[in-house]
Amino acid sequence: AQSVAQPEDQVNVAEGNPLTVKCTYSVSGNPYLFWYVQYPNRGLQFLLKYITGDNLVKGSYGFEAEFNKSQTSFHLKKPSALVSDSALYFCAVRVPWRAGSYQLTFGKGTKLSVIP
Amino acid sequence: SQTIHQWPATLVQPVGSPLSLECTVEGTSNPNLYWYRQAAGRGLQLLFYSVGIGQISSEVPQNLSASRPQDRQFILSSKKLLLSDSGFYLCARATGDYGYTFGSGTRLTVV
């Protein structure tokens, strides 16, 4: 089955330290990969995506992600974490669906806590 | 604009009561629309998918139903709510860049 996996339920990092939220994928063909962030009682907000091109993708709020085809990974990173980055992060991949259409399949989410 | 409007933001309903959650979208016509449920602040479960007026695909058999009476309106309904229907309900639309835009969600508590 084509999917994404987020192996960590929770990531804790000290404010000012670099952060990484992991995501691996399993799809046939070229993957279209996404990261979304969700603050409490809010909808998901788009952070960044990889469709094609440079393996290092820069997104909103200083986040970036590195596409690694050999490791089938798309880890989210930020050089210096802020307390305000504390939220739930979702990785997603576009997968073929019915009648030639596509949909996004989401990972189970990783809760990021940045400690002051 | 690809704004999605969801209401209400919060809802407390007794077991056995009916439900109607509404989602309306702005922007391009004939969007692909989705209803997700999120339990306990974690993973997303796709409930329904619609590619156009009157066209609904159900992903999970359950106590809920969906309708799309107008191009930019997507409604989630139930005739009789169960305790297990509690959760955070999100409406989303597909955008032109392969991703989704999400509404702000409805927190449903069935008591």
Side-chain angles (χ1 to χ4, degrees):
Chain A
Q2 305 192 70
S3 63
V4 291
Q6 293 180 245
E8 303 155 316
D9 284 344
Q10 177 144 1
V11 170
N12 297 323
V13 62
E15 186 177 22
N17 283 3
L19 70 86
T20 298
V21 182
K22 296 180 180 177
C23 172
T24 58
Y25 65 89
S26 174
V27 298
S28 56
N30 295 321
Y32 290 12
L33 296 158
F34 302 80
W35 276 103
Y36 288 83
V37 60
Q38 184 183 31
Y39 299 99
N41 293 311
R42 304 293 298 177
L44 277 67
Q45 298 177 32
F46 170 79
L47 277 180
L48 50 81
K49 65 182 178 185
Y50 172 82
I51 305 297
T52 187
D54 289 341
N55 290 342
L56 186 62
V57 180
K58 293 189 182 296
S60 306
Y61 313 120
F63 283 93
E64 59 189 27
E66 186 171 10
F67 172 65
N68 188 318
K69 189 172 184 177
S70 62
Q71 297 185 6
T72 62
S73 67
F74 189 55
H75 300 332
L76 182 70
K77 300 181 180 183
K78 188 173 183 180
S80 178
L82 301 173
V83 173
S84 58
D85 292 330
S86 298
L88 188 57
Y89 290 81
F90 289 94
C91 182
V93 66
R94 182 173 178 250
V95 300
W97 206 31
R98 301 172 182 168
S101 68
Y102 292 84
Q103 68 155 319
L104 292 187
T105 292
F106 292 85
K108 61 180 174 60
T110 298
K111 183 179 180 181
L112 173 68
S113 293
V114 181
I115 303 163
Chain B
S1 171
Q2 296 190 24
T3 303
I4 297 180
H5 301 280
Q6 275 190 255
W7 67 90
T10 306
L11 191 60
V12 180
Q13 291 284 98
V15 169
S17 63
L19 172 74
S20 180
L21 300 182
E22 189 159 344
C23 170
T24 59
V25 302
E26 297 177 2
T28 58
S29 60
N30 201 32
N32 289 349
L33 298 175
Y34 309 84
W35 275 112
Y36 284 89
R37 177 168 59 200
Q38 186 179 27
R42 295 313 298 242
L44 301 172
Q45 179 186 33
L46 178 62
L47 301 176
F48 298 98
Y49 165 57
S50 174
V51 298
I53 296 173
Q55 301 179 65
I56 308 293
S57 295
S58 174
E59 284 301 292
V60 183
Q62 58 206 319
N63 187 41
L64 301 170
S65 61
S67 62
R68 189 163 173 181
Q70 300 179 40
D71 183 44
R72 297 176 183 175
Q73 185 183 32
F74 200 25
I75 299 172
L76 182 69
S77 304
S78 174
K79 292 182 179 178
K80 289 186 178 181
L81 283 169
L82 306 172
L83 288 174
S84 58
D85 292 324
S86 294
F88 192 53
Y89 289 83
L90 290 161
C91 180
R93 65 169 292 169
T95 56
D97 62 353
Y98 309 112
Y100 291 175
T101 295
F102 285 83
S104 56
T106 296
R107 172 73 59 192
L108 172 66
T109 303
V110 182
V111 296

